[in-house]
Structures are given as structure tokens and as C-alpha cells.
Amino acid sequence: LRAVRLARQLACGLGHAHEHGLVHRDFKPGNVILERRGDDLIPRILDFGLAISTRETPEAAARLTEAGYVVGTPVYIAPEQMLDHPVDRRTDLFAFGVVLYEMLAGKPPFDGSATEIAHKNLTWPVEPIGCRSPGVAVPPELEKLVFRLVAKNPENRPASADEVCAALDELERQVAQTRTHDLPALSGWQSGEFAG
């Protein structure tokens, strides 16, 4: 349940940026800090240094990124970034999906060097979380959402962070009602591993 709550807050944070015309382009655990409020953890998204404005003209946006220069962190980089194709809010949702996978599995979808991981993000299928981390049980609907988020083709991802937030709201209601699934302890987040 904590994973769903944290994920929802992060998705809503990205949605807020998207509503203001910003695409982060480097969303990752190192750009998230967790603020403790009583028993709650409140995630904050940092470092919009690589962000671009979707409200700029194509010519102005092109000036913000050197042609042929790929920005982002390989573990979380979307296929369209690797291919130097236009990016939009679904690019951030891919990175968010990788982060959510990592929250649940305890590790990102792929291992290897930066170049190898970027190539795998582009071409390799993502393993089910239970195969990547045996013994980890994730509600099927949550895993289905993760797989939609990390789809290679942005057209197959959720259209917006608002859609992701709505899906996570529904998942939280289901988990709270049934209590039939135990989510991972999120030890990495609690230990500060994701605090930059």
C-alpha cells in the first residue's frame, strides 16, 4: 500500500509539471527526496535542469538540446530519447514506470553497463517482477500498470499522469479493501538510497 501511495504522489507531481508545460527528461530516484511528516513519507521531485517546455516552438525547443546529444540517465531513459525522437510527457511516464518497477522489485528491469541498459530499454522485453525478484508478490493490476508505463512505444503508455493517478487511486482502494496482497517493504526508499 505504501508503494501505491508514494507512486501516486510522484505521478501527480509529474502531472503538475506537465500541466505547466514541462517535461522533466531525467526523472529517477536520485531526483526524488523523501520528506518525513509524522508516519508519512512525502516525495519531492527535484532537478528540472534537463526539462524542456512543451509550449516552446519546435525551433526554440530544438535550441535547448544539441542535435544528436541524448540527455537522461540510461537506466531510466525512454526509447524515444535514445533514438533522439521528439519527447513529451509520456517520456517521463516511461521513467516513472522504471522507478515504480524498481520500488516493487528492489532493482531496475535491467542490469549492465550504461550503454547495455540503454540498449535493453530500447529492445529487450521487461521481465515480470516476480521473475526479476523471486518471492516478491505484486497485485496483478499494479504490475499491468507498470508494464504499460514501460512500453517501448509511447503510444502504448498511459496518455497522461492524471490517468496514472486515477489508476493508482483505484489500486489503493482495491488493496485497502481486500488486504490480500503484501507489497514489498521498500527498504531502498526507507534507507535513503533514493534520496539523491
PDB file of all heavy atoms in Angstrom, residues 79 110 116-126 152:
ATOM      1  N   PRO A  79      12.912   4.858 -24.837  1.00  0.00           N
ATOM      2  CA  PRO A  79      13.413   4.545 -26.180  1.00  0.00           C
ATOM      3  C   PRO A  79      13.443   5.746 -27.117  1.00  0.00           C
ATOM      4  O   PRO A  79      14.401   5.908 -27.890  1.00  0.00           O
ATOM      5  CB  PRO A  79      12.433   3.476 -26.668  1.00  0.00           C
ATOM      6  CG  PRO A  79      12.008   2.781 -25.415  1.00  0.00           C
ATOM      7  CD  PRO A  79      11.897   3.882 -24.390  1.00  0.00           C
ATOM      8  N   PHE A 110      16.669  -3.923 -15.800  1.00  0.00           N
ATOM      9  CA  PHE A 110      17.830  -4.483 -16.476  1.00  0.00           C
ATOM     10  C   PHE A 110      19.124  -4.184 -15.724  1.00  0.00           C
ATOM     11  O   PHE A 110      19.237  -3.161 -15.045  1.00  0.00           O
ATOM     12  CB  PHE A 110      17.944  -3.921 -17.907  1.00  0.00           C
ATOM     13  CG  PHE A 110      16.740  -4.159 -18.762  1.00  0.00           C
ATOM     14  CD1 PHE A 110      15.985  -3.099 -19.228  1.00  0.00           C
ATOM     15  CD2 PHE A 110      16.345  -5.453 -19.080  1.00  0.00           C
ATOM     16  CE1 PHE A 110      14.862  -3.317 -20.023  1.00  0.00           C
ATOM     17  CE2 PHE A 110      15.222  -5.682 -19.870  1.00  0.00           C
ATOM     18  CZ  PHE A 110      14.481  -4.613 -20.339  1.00  0.00           C
ATOM     19  N   GLU A 116      24.659  -0.789 -22.198  1.00  0.00           N
ATOM     20  CA  GLU A 116      23.884  -2.029 -22.290  1.00  0.00           C
ATOM     21  C   GLU A 116      22.450  -1.814 -21.817  1.00  0.00           C
ATOM     22  O   GLU A 116      21.496  -2.297 -22.451  1.00  0.00           O
ATOM     23  CB  GLU A 116      24.553  -3.130 -21.465  1.00  0.00           C
ATOM     24  CG  GLU A 116      25.850  -3.641 -22.070  1.00  0.00           C
ATOM     25  CD  GLU A 116      26.646  -4.517 -21.114  1.00  0.00           C
ATOM     26  OE1 GLU A 116      26.369  -4.493 -19.890  1.00  0.00           O
ATOM     27  OE2 GLU A 116      27.553  -5.220 -21.588  1.00  0.00           O
ATOM     28  N   ILE A 117      22.294  -1.099 -20.711  1.00  0.00           N
ATOM     29  CA  ILE A 117      20.945  -0.878 -20.178  1.00  0.00           C
ATOM     30  C   ILE A 117      20.125  -0.019 -21.125  1.00  0.00           C
ATOM     31  O   ILE A 117      18.949  -0.300 -21.381  1.00  0.00           O
ATOM     32  CB  ILE A 117      21.021  -0.246 -18.778  1.00  0.00           C
ATOM     33  CG1 ILE A 117      21.591  -1.264 -17.780  1.00  0.00           C
ATOM     34  CG2 ILE A 117      19.642   0.224 -18.324  1.00  0.00           C
ATOM     35  CD1 ILE A 117      21.881  -0.698 -16.412  1.00  0.00           C
ATOM     36  N   ALA A 118      20.731   1.033 -21.671  1.00  0.00           N
ATOM     37  CA  ALA A 118      20.009   1.875 -22.630  1.00  0.00           C
ATOM     38  C   ALA A 118      19.561   1.045 -23.830  1.00  0.00           C
ATOM     39  O   ALA A 118      18.433   1.193 -24.317  1.00  0.00           O
ATOM     40  CB  ALA A 118      20.895   3.037 -23.068  1.00  0.00           C
ATOM     41  N   HIS A 119      20.428   0.143 -24.307  1.00  0.00           N
ATOM     42  CA  HIS A 119      20.071  -0.728 -25.433  1.00  0.00           C
ATOM     43  C   HIS A 119      18.925  -1.670 -25.043  1.00  0.00           C
ATOM     44  O   HIS A 119      17.995  -1.891 -25.829  1.00  0.00           O
ATOM     45  CB  HIS A 119      21.288  -1.529 -25.888  1.00  0.00           C
ATOM     46  CG  HIS A 119      20.978  -2.517 -26.972  1.00  0.00           C
ATOM     47  ND1 HIS A 119      20.714  -2.136 -28.272  1.00  0.00           N
ATOM     48  CD2 HIS A 119      20.861  -3.877 -26.948  1.00  0.00           C
ATOM     49  CE1 HIS A 119      20.454  -3.212 -28.999  1.00  0.00           C
ATOM     50  NE2 HIS A 119      20.548  -4.275 -28.226  1.00  0.00           N
ATOM     51  N   LYS A 120      18.986  -2.215 -23.829  1.00  0.00           N
ATOM     52  CA  LYS A 120      17.925  -3.113 -23.374  1.00  0.00           C
ATOM     53  C   LYS A 120      16.593  -2.376 -23.233  1.00  0.00           C
ATOM     54  O   LYS A 120      15.533  -2.918 -23.565  1.00  0.00           O
ATOM     55  CB  LYS A 120      18.324  -3.770 -22.050  1.00  0.00           C
ATOM     56  CG  LYS A 120      19.461  -4.784 -22.199  1.00  0.00           C
ATOM     57  CD  LYS A 120      19.939  -5.291 -20.853  1.00  0.00           C
ATOM     58  CE  LYS A 120      21.115  -6.255 -21.005  1.00  0.00           C
ATOM     59  NZ  LYS A 120      21.642  -6.712 -19.700  1.00  0.00           N
ATOM     60  N   ASN A 121      16.625  -1.133 -22.747  1.00  0.00           N
ATOM     61  CA  ASN A 121      15.396  -0.343 -22.668  1.00  0.00           C
ATOM     62  C   ASN A 121      14.774  -0.170 -24.047  1.00  0.00           C
ATOM     63  O   ASN A 121      13.556  -0.077 -24.186  1.00  0.00           O
ATOM     64  CB  ASN A 121      15.675   1.035 -22.062  1.00  0.00           C
ATOM     65  CG  ASN A 121      15.664   1.040 -20.547  1.00  0.00           C
ATOM     66  OD1 ASN A 121      15.186   0.095 -19.914  1.00  0.00           O
ATOM     67  ND2 ASN A 121      16.193   2.097 -19.961  1.00  0.00           N
ATOM     68  N   LEU A 122      15.630  -0.140 -25.034  1.00  0.00           N
ATOM     69  CA  LEU A 122      15.170   0.072 -26.406  1.00  0.00           C
ATOM     70  C   LEU A 122      14.604  -1.192 -27.038  1.00  0.00           C
ATOM     71  O   LEU A 122      13.648  -1.126 -27.814  1.00  0.00           O
ATOM     72  CB  LEU A 122      16.340   0.604 -27.243  1.00  0.00           C
ATOM     73  CG  LEU A 122      16.093   1.051 -28.669  1.00  0.00           C
ATOM     74  CD1 LEU A 122      15.119   2.213 -28.709  1.00  0.00           C
ATOM     75  CD2 LEU A 122      17.420   1.442 -29.329  1.00  0.00           C
ATOM     76  N   THR A 123      15.178  -2.370 -26.695  1.00  0.00           N
ATOM     77  CA  THR A 123      14.853  -3.579 -27.462  1.00  0.00           C
ATOM     78  C   THR A 123      14.409  -4.789 -26.647  1.00  0.00           C
ATOM     79  O   THR A 123      13.716  -5.654 -27.178  1.00  0.00           O
ATOM     80  CB  THR A 123      16.078  -4.004 -28.301  1.00  0.00           C
ATOM     81  OG1 THR A 123      17.190  -4.267 -27.421  1.00  0.00           O
ATOM     82  CG2 THR A 123      16.483  -2.918 -29.292  1.00  0.00           C
ATOM     83  N   TRP A 124      14.812  -4.916 -25.399  1.00  0.00           N
ATOM     84  CA  TRP A 124      14.530  -6.134 -24.642  1.00  0.00           C
ATOM     85  C   TRP A 124      13.173  -6.074 -23.955  1.00  0.00           C
ATOM     86  O   TRP A 124      12.766  -5.014 -23.458  1.00  0.00           O
ATOM     87  CB  TRP A 124      15.599  -6.355 -23.569  1.00  0.00           C
ATOM     88  CG  TRP A 124      16.898  -6.892 -24.069  1.00  0.00           C
ATOM     89  CD1 TRP A 124      17.481  -6.677 -25.278  1.00  0.00           C
ATOM     90  CD2 TRP A 124      17.818  -7.714 -23.326  1.00  0.00           C
ATOM     91  NE1 TRP A 124      18.691  -7.312 -25.349  1.00  0.00           N
ATOM     92  CE2 TRP A 124      18.923  -7.957 -24.175  1.00  0.00           C
ATOM     93  CE3 TRP A 124      17.803  -8.255 -22.049  1.00  0.00           C
ATOM     94  CZ2 TRP A 124      20.003  -8.727 -23.767  1.00  0.00           C
ATOM     95  CZ3 TRP A 124      18.886  -9.020 -21.638  1.00  0.00           C
ATOM     96  CH2 TRP A 124      19.965  -9.252 -22.496  1.00  0.00           C
ATOM     97  N   PRO A 125      12.477  -7.205 -23.883  1.00  0.00           N
ATOM     98  CA  PRO A 125      11.235  -7.242 -23.086  1.00  0.00           C
ATOM     99  C   PRO A 125      11.564  -7.166 -21.599  1.00  0.00           C
ATOM    100  O   PRO A 125      12.611  -7.627 -21.153  1.00  0.00           O
ATOM    101  CB  PRO A 125      10.629  -8.601 -23.452  1.00  0.00           C
ATOM    102  CG  PRO A 125      11.787  -9.434 -23.896  1.00  0.00           C
ATOM    103  CD  PRO A 125      12.771  -8.488 -24.535  1.00  0.00           C
ATOM    104  N   VAL A 126      10.661  -6.566 -20.855  1.00  0.00           N
ATOM    105  CA  VAL A 126      10.830  -6.440 -19.403  1.00  0.00           C
ATOM    106  C   VAL A 126      10.281  -7.694 -18.731  1.00  0.00           C
ATOM    107  O   VAL A 126       9.175  -8.145 -19.050  1.00  0.00           O
ATOM    108  CB  VAL A 126      10.099  -5.185 -18.888  1.00  0.00           C
ATOM    109  CG1 VAL A 126      10.142  -5.109 -17.363  1.00  0.00           C
ATOM    110  CG2 VAL A 126      10.722  -3.933 -19.501  1.00  0.00           C
ATOM    111  N   LYS A 152       7.652   0.127 -24.935  1.00  0.00           N
ATOM    112  CA  LYS A 152       8.660   0.712 -25.824  1.00  0.00           C
ATOM    113  C   LYS A 152       8.068   1.838 -26.666  1.00  0.00           C
ATOM    114  O   LYS A 152       8.712   2.861 -26.890  1.00  0.00           O
ATOM    115  CB  LYS A 152       9.246  -0.354 -26.759  1.00  0.00           C
ATOM    116  CG  LYS A 152       9.756  -1.620 -26.086  1.00  0.00           C
ATOM    117  CD  LYS A 152      10.886  -1.371 -25.120  1.00  0.00           C
ATOM    118  CE  LYS A 152      11.416  -2.677 -24.558  1.00  0.00           C
ATOM    119  NZ  LYS A 152      12.326  -2.458 -23.411  1.00  0.00           N
TER     120      LYS A 152
END
